[in-house]
Amino acid sequence: VCFIPGGLDCSISFVSHVLGKVCVHGRQKEILGVLVPRLMDLTKSDCIWQRICWRLVECVPDRWMEAVVLGFVQRTPGADVLSRLLGNLVVKNKKAQFVVTQKLLLLQYCHTTAVLQNLLGYLALDGLRPSLGSLIQVLQELLETWGSSSAVKHSPPEQQQYISKAILICLSHLKEPEIESCRQELLTSMMEGVKCHLDSSLPQIRRLGMIVAESISSKINTDGPVLKFQYEEDDETRELKSLLVQTPPFCVVPSLPDDDRNEKADAALPLVLESNKKSHTAAPVTPVEESDAELDSDDDLIPYDMSEDKELKTKAPVYIRDCIEVLTGSEDMEKWEATVKALESLVRKNPAATREVSVELAKILLHLEEKTCIEGFVELRQRAQVAVLTTDPIPVAKYLTSQFYSLNYSLRQRMDILDVLVLAARELSYPKSQGKTKHSGAQNPCIQLLPGSDSSKDWRTIVDERIKSKTRRFATGSSQGELTSSPNEFSFVAGHFFFPLIQHFDSSSSVGWCEYQGIYFLYRNSVLQAVTAMGKALLEFVWALRFHTDSYVRQGLLSCISSLLLSVPAQHLLEDMTEELLETQSWLGDVVEKDPDGDCRRLALQNLLLMENLKKKLEPVPS
Amino acid sequence: MALPPPDPQFVLRGTGAAVHTLHFSCAGQEPDVPILFSGSENGFVHVWNLQTHRVDAALDGHGRKSVYCVQTMGGKDRLLSQGRDQRICMWDLAEGRTSVTDSVFTENVGFCRCSLLKVAQGRWLMAMAAKATDEVQVLELPSKTSVCTLKPEVGAKLGMPMCLKLWQLSCGSQPLLLAGYEDGSVVLWNLSTGNALSQLVCHQEPVMSLDFDSEKAKGISGSSEKVLSIWSLNEQQNLQVYKTHKLVNAGISDITIRPDKKILATAGWDHRIRIFGWKKLKPLAVLDYHTATVHCVSFSDHKNPSERLLAAGSKDHRISVWSIYTQT
């Protein structure tokens, strides 16, 4: 209902029709040029005229609505004015809604930035009215289009730029609570979208993607780390970034002729950019009073803000020996922290230097307590320990295994030692592609179940010699020169890991079960090279423990046997370990019958079957 | 409320290695393009076109050994480059050529950048670190004849020369040399007599870089410590400390005073470029862009003051170019 003095209501729809027809025929400029300023004046303070205006536009028939709405959006100098003129049009009129939220944004891209500003500003203000939260919806749709990979690939760069601009303007209008509500969706869309953009081969598209992603990220992560890309700044990027900041509405002088009006709307934006740019490139040339009495030319130079200029954080030492110093003596907590964090990579990068001080480092790391609260301290320490161990396995393994059984170590430390040994074993079993000088051709990571022909023999001879010597002390270094190409570094040092642990195993101690676990894992790794001496030692070990009270231990032992049976070639088993095998076999039989634990019985049965299979394999095939 | 420091106007990428030295050549007339020369650790001298921001040419003349000094000899067509292959090469770059016309074998394995001074039309003096550790040799170019060899007196223990600056008060007057040494001293040498006129201990650590304003007879030097030292030359040709300035972080790789003597820039080991007013060493700006040590800074020689630029080369392989304080 609208009542106007003079009873003009029925003629409003007539006017709408006329307006619509004229606009559709391309005469937007002329008619709206006259109409819009008049309406703006009239609607400024007069509610009645506002309602008339709204009615005017609402009554425009659907088929002409687009032209009229577009004309309005283009002619009005600001979003607030547009809002005054159009009112709730978007809510009330479906066609208008379509035009405003879909067509102008997603299907057309020829409009200027000013038009976008108007449009989106209008939608933002629209949110003040009880309506559909249309700005958020619009943003989501824009993001969908922006993020769709086919759109990125197939739509012209101008359209993509247009959509990017629209997104940035939307972002600038969004307030904190609104962002809060859709933060997750924004993040997801941004991640997908930025990926499509970065995949593009056009640098402009990539840059657009980067800028939009940065803007979104800065809006949703106001207090956390923000996404930052590197790209060249130029006019385009500055213009885009300036869209993120909303400038206050321009005040319009009604008496300006309408041609200027349009230009002003367009020109206002570049002016804003100009001033932004200017403030970047030069210091203002305003004179500033100095506290000094004399005025000299230095005063013309206005300093910039230098509050960010602080001392650099202390860096981690670059040399291994420095690390040792810091870790043992330093009171400087920052440096200590930095050292702990950097140690692993330093050790790996400087193997020669590490080898000189390996045992010392291992000692320090073993006793390293957490002095400050670093995230992941335990992991950092462990990784450093593994790095030291893999860099210089023999002496460090010797040290660690000897420490393992000595007094005064907590359970945690012993577990640490085991973990470190296991991890290092695993690492050594899979040689990295940068081969060490000793192992030329040691390129392929190998999980060989059959030994390399000469290498294992070499290894065997050496280990056999050692066993014969019965001292079970392994000289460092002497063996390494003789062993040439071996696919598995760990095979060299496995003995150093393995035998000392077995030798000193004390089944009655409270850490028994975890010790054996470590041994088990070590064995699993080392068996890959089918070291028969180790096999023998393992069987003896198993024999010693076979009556252990803990069923878990027994299960573990049985699994050890299975891995042994599976990986050691049958000939070696039957030739070298016959005695032990027979003993084991009889024990297995016992277990199958009498062991209270079901799993143990099952495993024992499996082992027996494996043994049978092996025997059968070796029997001569009947011809 | 002070403005935040500006961002670089643009950044040149593509050297592929740490940038050790920069030199502008922008004083030419149209249609000459403004050029920036850069020397990198991979042995290349890149010729950057400052309009397209792309490399026009890459000069490979030092056997892939690091180039740590580039200078022009009267225009962008003649370039001088110094590398760790113990050579100083002179290039002819006119009309698109990229050839080495001559070279000097310095027999010096240090890092001391040579210094050039034009003394007459077509005649240059070049000071460079010589074969013996603490000596500086001055050659005349292009003839490559030795003008003098500057030896510190026995027992002076100055160490290696670290940085050199040849200057003369006005065209035609006696050329002098300022040399900063490993022990932290700056020495003023008389080239005609080969004697040291004055020696001043400016730093506790080696002098990494120095620059001198001959009009004001004032110079500045930076070192690996946290102090900038400003010294002056009085009428008796004696060096005196004028003042010192404490920095936030230690280590300066390069110092350069802008040709108009209004501001100076320092390249820091803390990745930052600092701008100071030259008159009173008033700190003006801290430009924090690079992610590794900044090795060199250089001001351009644009005729039009508003076009002047500052370039900084860093270990992070990038050259940042800034437009700062161009209005004064």
Side-chain angles (χ1 to χ4, degrees):
Chain A
V1 155
C2 79
F3 80 98
I4 299 169
L8 290 168
D9 48 359
C10 41
S11 60
I12 288 291
S13 55
F14 173 66
V15 178
S16 309
H17 274 69
V18 170
L19 180 63
K21 190 116 194 209
V22 168
C23 287
V24 133
H25 282 296
R27 295 287 185 211
Q28 274 171 327
K29 214 172 173 188
E30 287 86 342
I31 190 164
L32 287 178
V34 174
L35 198 57
V36 169
R38 269 305 274 159
L39 284 172
M40 270 167 37
D41 281 346
L42 290 169
T43 54
K44 233 183 203 160
S45 40
D46 192 340
C47 293
I48 300 181
W49 270 106
Q50 278 183 8
R51 293 235 285 274
I52 296 181
C53 184
W54 300 346
R55 196 97 177 90
L56 179 68
V57 187
E58 275 164 41
C59 292
V60 172
D62 277 353
R63 57 192 180 282
W64 302 325
M65 179 61 82
E66 181 191 336
V68 174
V69 169
L70 181 57
F72 268 89
V73 175
Q74 278 176 329
R75 305 303 296 179
T76 48
D80 53 335
V81 179
L82 189 62
S83 160
R84 214 166 63 215
L85 292 178
L86 291 185
N88 275 340
L89 184 64
V90 163
V91 180
K92 289 196 200 152
N93 188 310
K94 283 274 176 257
K95 176 77 184 181
Q97 187 187 42
F98 175 68
V99 169
V100 168
T101 57
Q102 304 276 358
K103 201 154 183 192
L104 286 182
L105 291 173
L106 299 169
L107 300 173
Q108 297 176 349
Y109 57 93
C110 50
H111 306 297
T112 61
T113 317
V115 168
L116 271 178
Q117 292 271 25
N118 276 352
L119 189 60
L120 294 167
Y122 165 65
L123 285 175
L125 287 173
D126 199 45
L128 293 172
R129 302 165 232 237
S131 78
L132 332 148
S134 39
L135 189 65
I136 299 256
Q137 269 188 332
V138 163
L139 177 59
Q140 281 173 341
E141 277 175 35
L142 281 171
L143 278 175
E144 226 184 277
T145 315
W146 176 76
S148 103
S149 59
S150 62
V152 173
K153 273 191 221 152
H154 300 298
S155 53
E158 292 82 4
Q159 182 167 28
Q160 300 205 34
Q161 195 185 44
Y162 184 78
I163 293 192
S164 308
K165 280 188 194 168
I167 293 179
L168 291 172
I169 298 176
C170 279
L171 284 174
S172 72
H173 281 292
L174 281 181
K175 298 187 198 42
E176 192 47 39
E178 292 166 340
I179 299 179
E180 198 58 51
S181 60
C182 62
R183 189 182 293 250
Q184 273 308 99
E185 292 102 58
L186 280 181
L187 186 60
T188 338
S189 330
M190 173 190 92
M191 294 308 285
E192 286 170 19
V194 89
K195 199 168 92 63
C196 305
H197 277 78
L198 289 178
D199 282 341
S200 159
S201 49
L202 293 173
Q204 192 193 14
I205 305 292
R206 287 202 292 271
R207 219 170 43 179
L208 280 176
M210 291 188 222
I211 293 174
V212 175
E214 271 184 21
S215 319
I216 298 181
S217 150
S218 66
K219 279 279 172 178
I220 60 184
N221 290 330
T222 40
D223 53 343
V226 163
L227 192 58
K228 187 103 184 80
F229 284 104
Q230 265 178 342
Y231 45 81
E232 279 183 28
E233 293 277 343
D234 69 1
D235 295 336
E236 192 191 314
T237 62
R238 277 188 275 263
E239 186 193 333
L240 285 171
K241 282 197 183 161
S242 70
L243 293 174
L244 271 182
V245 179
Q246 271 306 306
T247 52
F250 321 121
C251 67
V252 181
V253 178
S255 54
L256 279 180
D258 55 315
D259 279 47
D260 284 346
R261 175 86 44 71
N262 240 1
E263 272 139 38
K264 190 161 200 261
D266 291 328
L269 202 54
L271 274 177
V272 170
L273 295 175
E274 276 301 317
S275 60
N276 276 350
K277 261 193 265 185
K278 280 221 181 79
S279 65
H280 277 300
T281 51
V285 192
T286 53
V288 168
E289 318 83 20
E290 278 281 294
S291 49
D292 283 345
E294 36 175 61
L295 268 181
D296 49 359
S297 55
D298 255 12
D299 296 346
D300 286 351
L301 303 167
I302 313 291
Y304 286 94
D305 177 29
M306 291 180 276
S307 56
E308 291 297 314
D309 187 17
K310 297 186 198 89
E311 267 193 58
L312 276 188
K313 287 187 294 219
T314 40
K315 299 270 180 78
V318 182
Y319 299 105
I320 301 274
R321 288 183 194 270
D322 288 346
C323 289
I324 294 182
E325 255 181 60
V326 174
L327 289 174
T328 47
S330 170
E331 291 303 317
D332 185 349
M333 285 302 115
E334 274 189 28
K335 213 163 180 179
W336 187 90
E337 258 190 52
T339 310
V340 171
K341 286 186 189 155
L343 189 56
E344 187 206 348
S345 52
L346 271 178
V347 165
R348 287 193 194 272
K349 279 190 205 154
N350 302 295
T354 311
R355 259 173 247 145
E356 290 169 22
V357 291
S358 55
V359 178
E360 203 182 323
L361 252 185
K363 199 154 138 189
I364 294 171
L365 284 171
L366 191 57
H367 295 97
L368 200 66
E369 299 282 332
E370 193 166 351
K371 274 196 199 160
T372 70
C373 190
I374 312 181
E375 226 179 274
F377 171 77
V378 176
E379 205 202 316
L380 283 170
R381 186 182 56 176
Q382 194 180 70
R383 294 225 310 246
Q385 282 173 311
V386 171
V388 172
L389 186 49
T390 49
T391 313
D392 197 8
I394 296 181
V396 180
K398 222 170 96 164
Y399 170 73
L400 284 178
T401 49
S402 65
Q403 293 303 297
F404 188 71
Y405 289 105
S406 40
L407 307 166
N408 298 333
Y409 279 109
S410 68
L411 180 61
R412 175 208 63 122
Q413 283 171 318
R414 292 185 213 256
M415 291 293 290
D416 277 349
I417 295 180
L418 272 185
D419 285 338
V420 168
L421 284 171
V422 167
L423 286 172
R426 208 171 287 155
E427 197 178 307
L428 285 173
S429 312
Y430 300 101
K432 309 176 221 4
S433 53
Q434 61 254 58
K436 293 200 179 159
T437 47
K438 281 187 263 190
H439 322 309
S440 52
Q443 288 297 319
N444 16 328
C446 43
I447 315 178
Q448 292 184 7
L449 295 180
L450 297 172
S453 46
D454 28 321
S455 56
S456 70
K457 282 202 195 107
D458 289 339
W459 174 244
R460 276 183 58 207
T461 44
I462 287 152
V463 173
D464 285 343
E465 274 162 33
R466 290 208 192 109
I467 292 182
K468 279 175 201 152
S469 70
K470 286 199 180 162
T471 58
R472 296 217 177 185
R473 279 201 203 93
F474 301 94
T476 59
S478 56
S479 59
Q480 294 182 25
E482 303 157 39
L483 296 164
T484 49
S485 68
S486 163
N488 187 332
E489 276 178 48
F490 184 64
S491 61
F492 292 151
V493 302
H496 296 279
F497 282 44
F498 181 65
F499 288 111
L501 285 180
I502 289 199
Q503 175 194 352
H504 298 296
F505 187 77
D506 177 7
S507 64
S508 60
S509 76
S510 55
V511 295
W513 68 270
C514 45
E515 288 169 344
Y516 114 84
Q517 204 179 12
I519 295 167
Y520 167 57
F521 277 117
L522 275 179
Y523 186 73
R524 289 282 309 257
N525 277 323
S526 55
V527 162
L528 299 178
Q529 269 295 302
V531 176
T532 57
M534 293 175 76
K536 263 193 177 172
L538 186 68
L539 283 178
E540 282 178 22
F541 173 70
V542 166
W543 185 250
L545 285 181
R546 68 193 186 285
F547 293 127
H548 201 280
T549 44
D550 193 338
S551 64
Y552 188 66
V553 176
R554 290 200 301 277
Q555 281 178 32
L557 294 174
L558 291 166
S559 326
C560 278
I561 299 180
S562 339
S563 8
L564 183 104
L565 290 173
L566 283 172
S567 37
V568 178
Q571 292 113 313
H572 292 153
L573 273 178
L574 295 177
E575 285 164 16
D576 305 325
M577 301 195 260
T578 352
E579 257 187 48
E580 291 89 346
L581 274 181
L582 283 174
E583 287 177 352
T584 314
Q585 199 173 25
S586 66
W587 173 57
L588 286 175
D590 271 344
V591 172
V592 169
E593 286 170 29
K594 296 179 196 157
D595 195 294
D597 185 273
D599 283 331
C600 285
R601 290 199 298 271
R602 187 177 47 83
L603 284 169
L605 189 58
Q606 265 181 1
N607 284 332
L608 281 174
L609 287 174
L610 278 174
M611 282 186 163
E612 283 303 314
N613 280 341
L614 280 174
K615 280 205 198 131
K616 281 195 198 139
K617 269 192 211 161
L618 290 179
E619 272 158 26
V621 180
S623 48
Chain B
M1 185 30 204
L3 289 169
D7 289 326
Q9 200 176 61
F10 53 89
V11 175
L12 300 174
R13 291 167 228 269
T15 52
V19 179
H20 283 292
T21 177
L22 293 168
H23 191 89
F24 279 97
S25 179
C26 309
Q29 310 253 7
E30 290 282 326
D32 277 352
V33 177
I35 298 277
L36 173 65
F37 294 99
S38 74
S40 315
E41 194 153 321
N42 56 7
F44 282 94
V45 172
H46 292 274
V47 183
W48 296 89
N49 180 326
L50 291 177
Q51 277 173 358
T52 63
H53 303 175
R54 296 278 184 273
V55 175
D56 273 354
L59 311 173
D60 183 7
H62 289 277
R64 305 302 164 93
K65 295 280 170 78
S66 178
V67 176
Y68 56 93
C69 181
V70 280
Q71 301 196 49
T72 51
M73 296 169 71
K76 61 180 181 53
D77 291 335
R78 290 180 64 191
L79 183 73
L80 182 138
S81 65
Q82 187 179 16
R84 295 225 62 219
D85 60 342
Q86 303 178 39
R87 283 202 324 157
I88 296 179
C89 291
M90 278 150 279
W91 301 78
D92 172 21
L93 302 177
E95 288 154 21
R97 293 190 283 271
T98 58
S99 53
V100 179
T101 51
D102 209 349
S103 68
V104 174
F105 188 53
T106 62
E107 294 182 276
N108 176 276
V109 295
F111 298 86
C112 181
R113 292 180 181 136
C114 63
S115 175
L116 272 182
L117 180 69
K118 185 170 184 178
V119 288
Q121 189 60 22
R123 264 188 42 207
W124 301 79
L125 283 181
M126 180 178 71
M128 60 188 200
K131 184 173 177 194
T133 5
D134 51 0
E135 280 178 13
V136 173
Q137 195 177 27
V138 180
L139 296 184
E140 193 203 41
L141 292 178
S143 59
K144 300 200 285 187
T145 47
S146 171
V147 170
C148 59
T149 308
L150 305 170
K151 276 190 267 263
E153 56 189 37
V154 177
K157 289 211 166 93
L158 292 175
M160 295 190 300
M162 305 287 297
C163 44
L164 301 168
K165 172 103 182 159
L166 277 171
W167 61 281
Q168 54 186 175
L169 193 50
S170 54
C171 209
S173 63
Q174 195 190 60
L176 296 162
L177 172 71
L178 279 164
Y181 287 85
E182 208 182 334
D183 71 332
S185 338
V186 172
V187 177
L188 178 67
W189 293 92
N190 179 329
L191 294 183
S192 29
T193 60
N195 289 332
L197 292 170
S198 171
Q199 179 179 343
L200 179 67
V201 177
C202 302
H203 298 278
Q204 307 299 316
E205 303 271 322
V207 180
M208 300 303 288
S209 176
L210 61 81
D211 204 357
F212 186 68
D213 175 359
S214 47
E215 291 158 31
K216 297 201 186 92
K218 219 165 69 167
I220 180 170
S221 57
S223 157
S224 49
E225 51 185 20
K226 271 189 181 182
V227 175
L228 284 176
S229 175
I230 299 96
W231 26 272
S232 63
L233 198 57
N234 63 12
E235 296 81 32
Q236 291 84 30
Q237 307 276 45
N238 278 332
L239 290 167
Q240 305 157 313
V241 173
Y242 180 70
K243 69 194 272 192
T244 57
H245 178 88
K246 195 158 188 302
L247 296 163
V248 173
N249 290 309
I252 294 286
S253 323
D254 198 8
I255 299 187
T256 182
I257 305 175
R258 198 161 74 173
D260 68 350
K261 316 285 194 240
K262 291 263 179 70
I263 62 174
L264 68 99
T266 65
W269 291 1
D270 61 352
H271 321 177
R272 296 172 198 160
I273 305 155
R274 290 162 204 282
I275 312 283
F276 296 88
W278 177 221
K279 216 161 187 142
K280 292 197 246 161
L281 214 71
K282 172 170 135 182
L284 290 173
V286 176
L287 305 174
D288 193 4
Y289 167 77
H290 287 284
T291 53
T293 301
V294 185
H295 283 309
C296 49
V297 275
S298 180
F299 282 102
S300 71
D301 52 350
H302 281 94
K303 292 247 167 70
N304 181 354
S306 61
E307 289 175 8
R308 287 173 298 181
L309 299 168
L310 164 70
S314 163
K315 195 172 163 186
D316 63 6
H317 304 194
R318 292 195 282 267
I319 301 169
S320 56
V321 182
W322 311 74
S323 172
I324 189 165
Y325 293 118
T326 52
Q327 308 304 91
T328 53

